[in-house]
Amino acid sequence: MISSTRASDQGSVPIIELPQDNPGIHSWQAPACQPYGAVLVLDHNGRIVASTETTCSFLEAPDIAVLLGLDICSICPPLYDVWMERVTHDLDPRDWTRVRWNGHEFDARAVPFSGYWLVDVWPAADHGIGWGDVQTIATVVREWLQTQDFVLDDALERYRAWLGFDMVVMYELESNGENEITAEAKVAGLPSLKGLHYPVSQMGSFADAIGYHNVARAIVDSTAPSTAWWTMDREIDPAIANLSVCRELDPYHRHMMAKMGFTTALMLPLVMDGHVRGLLIAYHREPRIIGGSAMLVSRTFSQSLSLK
């Protein structure tokens, strides 16, 4: 595989020089993703029609030109199983599955969008809990948040401490053109963000992007360079990339995180009546990978908060 680099304002990004005899493969201007996971787009037959560059190293494929056009079953049978479990509605598209393949472990999920499927492949990280504990912990969280003596600040602090992050904030999206940080939990020494307002024109579009299927977005390092997309099907709506857990931050939010001194964020929507009404965001100053098990528990926490 021949590699070169593409300069960007965030550094140099390795890209793949495709062989000249592959005119059907094109650079795809979909929303950029971080370089920590792998993202694939499948058609309804399970054929790989788009992919980020990092997918090759994850799936040990020689290059993008070989990967595109193949059936996911022929490349990685466990990922085919992940996809089919969502196609047949055996598992929720928002949920993650631990995959073991060729001596490696990673977390994966598949989300439908306009006739295609986006498949996220994410580094395995258990955050101190095994997959067998996830449902038990999620049930405890759900039942605890349903108690009458629920206190929001206490709930956020418990969640922050369990996650091991520096700060957790809750944004409420308002209809008057602004949204406000209405609650927070933080380690000592960090300035308070409670009461700050942000225009919906800046934060609202981000909320809509992660609201589809109530998925999470995990920012490992907001300063990391992007990974580019390649496709063999130009009819795919590039908006499908917004569903990826490793979808890159918009410039405004990246600037805001840098100003606050944070590099990592785990973001979840607060959904009521099918609409995103707020955001639950955990911030950390050091880069951190959050695995699928922790994201499942975090989603349970955000869903339960939405009902409060």
Side-chain angles (χ1 to χ4, degrees):
M1 180 170 58
I2 303 173
S3 297
S4 65
T5 58
R6 169 171 57 85
S8 76
D9 57 354
Q10 294 178 321
S12 293
V13 183
I15 66 171
I16 297 170
E17 293 179 348
L18 295 175
Q20 296 300 313
D21 58 351
N22 284 277
I25 299 176
H26 313 278
S27 176
W28 191 36
Q29 299 305 310
C33 291
Q34 300 173 86
Y36 298 97
V39 193
L40 305 94
V41 177
L42 310 181
D43 64 14
H44 66 281
N45 293 315
R47 185 179 60 150
I48 303 170
V49 293
S51 174
T52 56
E53 291 171 352
T54 50
T55 302
C56 287
S57 59
F58 251 84
L59 301 185
E60 300 179 355
D63 56 44
I64 292 288
V66 171
L67 190 69
L68 295 183
L70 294 180
D71 292 337
I72 187 63
C73 186
S74 66
I75 291 293
C76 181
L79 280 185
Y80 171 82
D81 294 337
V82 168
W83 172 59
M84 284 304 300
E85 286 169 340
R86 277 74 179 173
V87 170
T88 58
H89 305 290
D90 290 335
L91 288 178
D92 191 317
R94 298 167 295 183
D95 289 345
W96 293 84
T97 299
R98 175 59 52 87
V99 172
R100 294 173 175 85
W101 182 70
N102 276 3
H104 303 291
E105 284 193 339
F106 46 83
D107 299 329
R109 66 189 189 97
V111 183
F113 184 86
S114 298
Y116 295 89
W117 287 80
L118 181 134
V119 178
D120 267 324
V121 184
W122 195 244
D126 284 328
H127 193 70
I129 60 173
W131 277 89
D133 302 323
V134 169
Q135 293 303 324
T136 299
I137 294 175
T139 299
V140 170
V141 169
R142 189 180 298 110
E143 292 177 349
W144 171 61
L145 290 176
Q146 291 174 350
T147 60
Q148 295 298 318
D149 58 350
F150 168 83
V151 178
L152 179 58
D153 288 345
D154 180 48
L156 293 183
E157 173 56 29
R158 292 193 187 192
Y159 173 62
R160 184 206 65 76
W162 174 80
L163 200 58
F165 272 37
D166 293 321
M167 176 177 276
V168 172
V169 299
M170 191 172 78
Y171 295 82
E172 286 191 15
L173 302 183
E174 302 171 351
S175 58
N176 62 357
E178 291 188 339
N179 65 74
E180 179 183 0
I181 297 179
T182 57
E184 68 179 8
K186 61 186 182 66
V187 297
L190 284 179
S192 174
L193 303 180
K194 192 172 181 179
L196 294 182
H197 291 256
Y198 296 92
V200 169
S201 59
Q202 293 170 321
M203 293 294 287
S205 59
F206 164 73
D208 290 339
I210 68 169
Y212 184 84
H213 272 304
N214 196 16
V215 299
R217 182 173 294 172
I219 304 301
V220 176
D221 185 349
S222 61
T223 67
S226 306
T227 180
W229 282 91
W230 295 96
T231 186
M232 58 182 295
D233 182 353
R234 289 182 169 178
E235 299 301 315
I236 309 171
D237 184 350
I240 190 173
N242 282 325
L243 305 185
S244 175
V245 69
C246 64
R247 164 73 168 88
E248 191 179 65
L249 277 177
D250 60 276
Y252 173 78
H253 207 144
R254 187 165 55 245
H255 170 75
M256 189 180 72
M257 283 183 60
K259 189 174 181 179
M260 294 188 297
F262 297 126
T263 60
T264 296
L266 178 61
M267 310 174 178
L268 300 107
L270 300 173
V271 180
M272 292 182 291
D273 300 322
H275 299 284
V276 179
R277 303 298 187 188
L279 297 169
L280 177 69
I281 306 183
Y283 294 112
H284 198 58
R285 286 169 287 191
E286 299 295 327
R288 179 83 62 85
I289 290 179
I290 299 297
S293 56
M295 281 192 274
L296 278 171
V297 173
S298 296
R299 181 165 64 82
T300 299
F301 182 78
S302 68
Q303 286 177 322
S304 299
L305 279 184
S306 298
L307 298 176
K308 300 298 288 189

